[in-house]
Amino acid sequence: MSKNTVSDRFRKVDVDEYDENKFVDEEDGGENQGGPDEAEVDGLLRQYPSATGGPEGLGARERPGGERAELLVVKVLSSFKSSDIEKAVGSLDKAGVDLLMKYIYRGFEKPSDNSSAVLLQWHEKALAVGGVGSIVRVLTARKTV
Amino acid sequence: MSLYSFGLEPLSCHAWNKDRTQIAVSPNNNVVNIYEKKGKDWVKIHELTEHSGRITGIDWAPESNRIVTCASDRNAYVWTMKDGLWKPTLVLVRINRAATCVKWSPLENKFALGSGARLISVCYFEKENDWWLSKHIKKPIRSTILSLDWHPNNILLAAGSADLHCRVFSAYIKDIEDKPGPTAWGAKMPFGEVLLEQKDCGGWVHSVSFSPSGDQLACVTHSSSVIVVDAAQSKQVTQLTTEHLPMLSVLHVSPTELMAAGHDSCPYQFTYKGPGTLKFVKKLDIPKQTSKGSMSAMQHFRNLDKRATEDDSNELDTLHQNSITQLCVVSGEKTKVEKFSSVGLDGAMVIWEFKH
């Protein structure tokens, strides 16, 4: 009988893996696509200091992932003049406004220097266009930026 | 538009009798209260107290005058009127989690029950043994069923679920009904067959509604969007993201007009005329005329100091003071609804008029 109780390998079995009712998340791995080319965006910024192509450009490309993209977006958003923000938000379509909101909230999570103030200005303008619905979509979206 | 307050407790669900003189509501507990209209007031005439858990769904079959209730105690009861009292009959739903919603089929020979056990229980009455039996639809549901709606052909059933999918199932029970003819959703309909699986609607699907013809299916999700799937146009999907808070209930008031209401506490009208044409029309509530009585300068600045606003009132400017949980047709045919009712977390029931 003591032979039976010697091994404790059973303690390492993950019982939950064998549960037939276990919820398996059907996420397509769309989170690990390459981010926008940093050099390219920097070049664009230098050429057009008051460009309104920032958020749209990012939205048109495939959804970028990773921290690099986040920092890049905050840099782009900070480079806009306060008076241009409203025009930029106005030029976005509904999906663009939702994507912008997602980046704004990601930017809030990691504040740096002056980023929060700039992001708050963007938030105010984006909220005027997207309404609370766009914030709800930031919270319910499965694919985070 | 008329508002009646049933007290301070939130109303989880409601159902009307055939001639709309009686309403069954549950004040967020394990009891169903039936009120009868006497003049301008609603007077409580019956109390149905068989459940031990919070009531999550009530449906009243107009022709056969039976009420079905379901609760978080994993049970459902069918109530029939005998000698002026409602007598319950237990239904063997065989679920091991709470029931979330229940709906009689159009012909009232069966009803569908959604539950947290990741399955739908379709229940029908078996005459030989004099009891209610159930058949389960399990695959491919991965999470709680949040809402159900029957197709006019009494066979197809739409289900919105917390696994972010909206599906149309066949609930054909060969013991009690004839084989159905083909519809725009499909031709082969054995029990449990999935005729539509609308994946990843963006959020939990709170409510689903078939159009009067049954060819379109509308759903509202927690991501503040309205989705319409059109079977008549090869199941094309049209999605509209809104700027409002998420909606909890959607209703067709005509073949092209939709009424949706939820956390914004007022109904919104949407219109759908074909794939790609889903549009917001208007908000149905009329803002109250706030009587701005004379406010002293002292009061003005006191408000600014305390609340950062000059407004003195604490109320929302909509009729409902809290989220609307359910919409229900009151009068008019399905193709031309004239009045519909809403109940909310503020304990009030409002009857809205709709002009086509």
Side-chain angles (χ1 to χ4, degrees):
Chain A
M1 181 124 103
S2 66
K3 238 184 169 183
N4 235 0
T5 55
V6 151
S7 168
D8 64 350
R9 266 195 319 177
F10 69 90
R11 295 190 189 281
K12 296 200 179 66
V13 172
D14 183 6
V15 196
D16 289 331
E17 284 297 314
Y18 300 99
D19 182 5
E20 53 196 35
N21 281 338
K22 185 170 184 228
F23 184 82
V24 176
D25 212 351
E26 290 162 22
E27 268 286 300
D28 50 1
E31 296 114 339
N32 297 324
Q33 287 151 356
D37 189 3
E38 186 142 3
E40 200 185 318
V41 180
D42 261 333
L44 280 168
L45 274 176
R46 252 171 265 129
Q47 274 185 10
Y48 308 103
S50 64
T52 53
E56 292 161 306
L58 284 169
R61 245 172 292 228
E62 282 186 334
R63 182 167 289 127
E67 271 190 50
R68 257 184 47 236
E70 226 178 278
L71 295 170
L72 202 54
V73 172
V74 174
K75 201 161 77 158
V76 168
L77 293 180
S78 318
S79 70
F80 274 68
K81 281 208 288 270
S82 308
S83 43
D84 287 339
I85 294 180
E86 199 164 340
K87 215 170 33 159
V89 174
S91 67
L92 289 173
D93 64 345
K94 271 193 171 190
V97 174
D98 287 346
L99 189 58
L100 176 63
M101 259 312 185
K102 279 196 190 145
Y103 273 112
I104 292 175
Y105 276 94
R106 275 297 263 209
F108 281 144
E109 284 173 35
K110 297 202 170 78
S112 67
D113 284 1
N114 205 23
S115 71
S116 290
V118 158
L119 286 174
L120 273 173
Q121 281 184 316
W122 277 95
H123 187 275
E124 187 195 341
K125 299 288 182 258
L127 185 63
V129 175
V132 282
S134 58
I135 301 182
V136 171
R137 276 184 286 283
V138 173
L139 298 170
T140 60
R142 311 269 358 255
K143 297 197 187 99
T144 53
V145 284
Chain B
M1 241 155 299
S2 60
L3 181 146
Y4 186 80
S5 175
F6 283 103
L8 290 173
E9 301 301 321
L11 297 175
S12 356
C13 40
H14 71 304
W16 295 92
N17 71 340
K18 182 170 181 184
D19 50 11
R20 304 330 196 203
T21 52
Q22 293 182 19
I23 184 173
V25 288
S26 174
N28 207 37
N29 59 11
N30 62 337
V31 167
V32 177
N33 295 323
I34 299 186
Y35 292 83
E36 183 161 35
K37 187 127 204 225
K38 294 233 158 73
K40 281 209 161 186
D41 281 322
W42 292 86
V43 176
K44 180 150 73 168
I45 53 171
H46 291 117
E47 216 176 79
L48 312 180
T49 57
E50 197 76 15
H51 280 289
S52 56
R54 188 181 71 94
I55 307 262
T56 49
I58 309 176
D59 201 12
W60 199 324
E63 303 302 324
S64 51
N65 203 36
R66 288 179 297 191
I67 301 179
V68 62
T69 57
C70 70
S72 61
D73 59 2
R74 317 187 299 273
N75 284 335
Y77 287 96
V78 173
W79 302 77
T80 35
M81 173 64 89
K82 276 197 186 74
D83 313 317
L85 286 176
W86 288 96
K87 295 273 190 299
T89 313
L90 178 65
V91 178
L92 295 161
V93 279
R94 300 178 288 128
I95 54 180
N96 57 3
R97 292 290 186 278
T100 51
C101 47
V102 69
K103 262 234 159 130
W104 281 109
S105 71
L107 293 179
E108 296 165 25
N109 53 356
K110 55 186 176 178
F111 64 86
L113 182 98
S115 70
R118 306 136 58 112
L119 54 86
I120 301 173
S121 194
V122 182
C123 307
Y124 59 101
F125 191 67
E126 208 204 3
K127 282 209 181 60
E128 295 110 57
N129 294 14
D130 193 31
W131 62 1
W132 288 85
L133 283 181
S134 64
K135 289 186 91 170
H136 286 173
I137 301 177
K138 269 195 180 170
K139 289 195 197 328
I141 304 171
R142 312 301 318 289
S143 188
T144 306
I145 296 289
L146 295 173
S147 58
L148 293 168
D149 193 29
W150 285 94
H151 187 281
N153 76 353
N154 207 57
I155 304 290
L156 298 179
L157 182 65
S161 165
D163 61 3
L164 319 180
H165 298 351
C166 173
R167 301 180 177 92
V168 174
F169 292 101
S170 159
Y172 166 60
I173 298 188
K174 63 179 196 289
D175 299 330
I176 56 165
E177 52 203 354
D178 303 321
K179 207 154 183 238
T183 66
W185 295 97
K188 284 204 165 292
M189 291 178 262
F191 183 81
E193 178 82 3
V194 182
L195 291 123
L196 167 79
E197 184 162 24
Q198 182 49 40
K199 290 189 199 274
D200 204 2
C201 302
W204 305 321
V205 183
H206 283 298
S207 181
V208 288
S209 169
F210 270 112
S211 64
S213 63
D215 285 339
Q216 284 90 30
L217 178 68
C219 36
V220 282
T221 72
H222 202 68
S223 61
S224 299
S225 37
V226 184
I227 298 177
V228 178
V229 184
D230 202 336
Q233 306 289 334
S234 42
K235 299 195 186 160
Q236 273 190 57
V237 178
T238 316
Q239 180 165 15
L240 175 71
T241 50
T242 70
E243 323 88 62
H244 316 303
L245 289 177
M247 256 107 35
L248 294 173
S249 183
V250 70
L251 195 65
H252 270 94
V253 290
S254 86
T256 53
E257 307 305 305
L258 289 165
M259 214 43 90
H263 290 294
D264 263 336
S265 318
C266 73
Y268 292 107
Q269 184 187 345
F270 293 89
T271 182
Y272 176 79
K273 294 200 168 76
T277 65
L278 184 55
K279 270 197 275 286
F280 169 69
V281 176
K282 63 174 189 229
K283 183 169 144 170
L284 235 66
D285 218 321
I286 303 174
K288 277 202 287 268
Q289 255 73 46
T290 46
S291 51
K292 281 207 175 81
S294 55
M295 232 191 333
S296 67
M298 174 73 141
Q299 191 65 27
H300 193 92
F301 285 107
R302 200 179 268 151
N303 279 337
L304 263 177
D305 181 34
K306 267 200 204 155
R307 295 178 234 229
T309 166
E310 291 151 26
D311 212 346
D312 206 5
S313 75
N314 262 335
E315 298 178 347
L316 291 178
D317 63 355
T318 51
L319 265 178
H320 273 287
Q321 292 301 303
N322 209 327
S323 312
I324 293 179
T325 48
Q326 194 182 18
L327 294 173
C328 195
V329 174
V330 171
S331 78
E333 283 296 308
K334 266 200 122 187
T335 44
K336 209 167 172 215
V337 170
E338 280 148 35
K339 290 200 201 154
F340 62 94
S341 61
S342 62
V343 289
L345 298 179
D346 54 351
M349 184 266 299
V350 177
I351 299 185
W352 306 84
E353 275 163 25
F354 183 71
K355 291 184 189 55
H356 289 265

